[in-house]
Amino acid sequence: MRALLLRSCRWAGALGERVRAPAPLRGASGASAGKPVELAYDVMDGRNTETPLIFLHGLFGSKSNFYSIAKALSKRTGRMVLTVDNRNHGDSGRSPVMTYEAMSFDLQNLLDKLQLPKCILIGHSLGGKIAMTTAMLRPELIEKLVVVDVTPSQTSSHTPFPKFIAAMRAVTVDNDLSRSAARKQVEQQLQPYIEDIRIRQFLLTNLVERDGRYIWRVNLEAVANHMDYIMTFPKFNTPYTAPTVFLGGGNSPYISSKDYPEIKRLFPNSVIQHVPGTGHWVHAEKPHDFINAICAFLGTS
């Protein structure tokens, strides 16, 4: 499927020219974002040539988080849908740098590589901030924007992620165990620190066997070193004016009325919606409602 996408010219410009990202990219602060990291991705090929959808996962997530949703949306909308691993996650490249400008540059590089002049970005949490940053830096690339349970504001006051990192770093696992036994051993070690079994199971999707030993496929060192930064958002003054929806969890604190002024300042053509009965992982808790909300935003029945 990836080879098919790379061979296709249907998303190239009118004359089939290659769409190039700027090099080097400079972020909101004016500092260079450095060399982009190669991103792993999966493709659900669509039956039409409408602008493709691209999903960006949250912290400790991966492209597989959106597999079933991407498949359903491709079938329902007829669009090509891509799910992407952010840097330092899943199968994507590693880097000690975790700035939003750098992670946006990774995405811009992928769009260039795949000859996609425009996309509709759907980002959850960390992925939502990468999506917003990309919309600010390269608005011509983003036709519409869906930001899931995050805002362009400080989020450290209610984030549990530092606790997750500490728990994951403390884990030890025997190398001679089967995968199921290793997962059970690790979950038992996480349980005293993370009560919610759904969160433990989510984190366990990052436990992989490499060269005869079990490791986390998240670059915990880079994430820990940038945690304070990850919880903030770069400063921008020029708004992104294309259609945007902020889709929050009805029971989540991540999008609240105090965030509305900054949302409207940076995204004046935005609407704010909440999915009742959901927390931070809106798409996982009520996937049918999540899909319906995106289709409504796209104008798809």
Side-chain angles (χ1 to χ4, degrees):
M1 193 65 74
R2 295 184 188 179
L4 175 64
L5 177 63
L6 291 171
R7 289 197 303 268
S8 172
C9 293
R10 59 179 173 162
W11 298 111
L15 300 177
E17 71 272 15
R18 186 170 175 80
V19 183
R20 297 192 180 277
L25 176 87
R26 294 191 179 276
S29 64
S32 173
K35 183 179 179 181
V37 163
E38 291 295 320
L39 300 181
Y41 62 93
D42 289 328
V43 181
M44 306 290 176
D45 207 10
R47 61 182 180 272
N48 62 42
T49 58
E50 291 185 86
T51 307
L53 309 177
I54 296 183
F55 279 90
L56 302 176
H57 62 80
L59 198 60
F60 302 119
S62 71
K63 62 184 186 295
S64 63
N65 296 157
F66 289 105
Y67 177 81
S68 59
I69 287 172
K71 187 175 181 179
L73 279 170
S74 180
K75 182 177 181 180
R76 187 162 164 181
T77 68
R79 297 173 188 258
M80 178 186 296
V81 184
L82 287 80
T83 61
V84 178
D85 279 340
N86 301 323
R87 71 164 56 188
N88 292 323
H89 290 75
D91 298 321
S92 286
R94 300 302 191 247
S95 170
V97 178
M98 286 282 286
T99 66
Y100 286 112
E101 290 91 342
M103 290 185 283
S104 170
F105 197 20
D106 297 340
L107 177 63
Q108 294 175 45
N109 182 62
L110 179 64
L111 294 176
D112 175 44
K113 174 183 174 182
L114 300 181
Q115 301 183 42
L116 298 178
K118 275 187 178 294
C119 70
I120 294 172
L121 269 185
I122 305 169
H124 171 245
S125 196
L126 173 76
K129 288 191 175 184
I130 298 170
M132 288 188 286
T133 301
T134 306
M136 291 295 174
L137 295 175
R138 298 292 307 281
E140 73 278 7
L141 297 178
I142 315 302
E143 184 176 292
K144 293 182 178 181
L145 184 64
V146 180
V147 182
V148 184
D149 210 53
V150 76
T151 71
S153 304
Q154 177 82 16
T155 55
S156 61
S157 61
H158 44 251
T159 180
F161 292 117
K163 181 173 69 172
F164 296 171
I165 293 173
M168 293 168 75
R169 278 178 153 176
V171 161
T172 58
V173 56
D174 298 330
N175 295 329
D176 58 347
L177 296 178
S178 66
R179 177 170 172 77
S180 60
R183 284 174 60 92
K184 183 177 181 179
Q185 185 182 73
V186 172
E187 183 176 6
Q188 289 174 343
Q189 294 177 62
L190 294 177
Q191 188 171 359
Y193 307 97
I194 303 170
E195 294 181 2
D196 193 327
I197 187 173
R198 295 171 300 177
I199 295 177
R200 295 199 303 271
Q201 290 174 345
F202 168 67
L203 295 176
L204 283 168
T205 63
N206 291 290
L207 186 69
V208 295
E209 189 270 331
R210 299 274 169 83
D211 299 324
R213 65 190 186 96
Y214 289 96
I215 63 169
W216 297 111
R217 63 175 179 176
V218 174
N219 187 343
L220 290 176
E221 194 71 21
V223 172
N225 289 342
H226 288 80
M227 183 53 65
D228 288 344
Y229 177 88
I230 289 170
M231 293 301 110
T232 64
F233 188 71
K235 299 295 183 183
F236 294 101
N237 293 315
T238 303
Y240 171 76
T241 58
T244 302
V245 62
F246 285 80
L247 193 59
N251 301 331
S252 171
Y254 280 85
I255 301 179
S256 67
S257 57
K258 67 180 177 59
D259 301 312
Y260 293 178
E262 184 68 358
I263 288 174
K264 286 300 183 180
R265 182 181 76 85
L266 291 177
F267 302 92
N269 192 16
S270 65
V271 295
I272 301 168
Q273 302 174 358
H274 287 83
V275 178
T278 61
H280 185 54
W281 285 272
V282 183
H283 53 286
E285 295 173 42
K286 287 197 175 179
H288 184 70
D289 292 351
F290 180 76
I291 290 169
N292 284 342
I294 290 178
C295 286
F297 178 61
L298 297 176
T300 302
S301 61

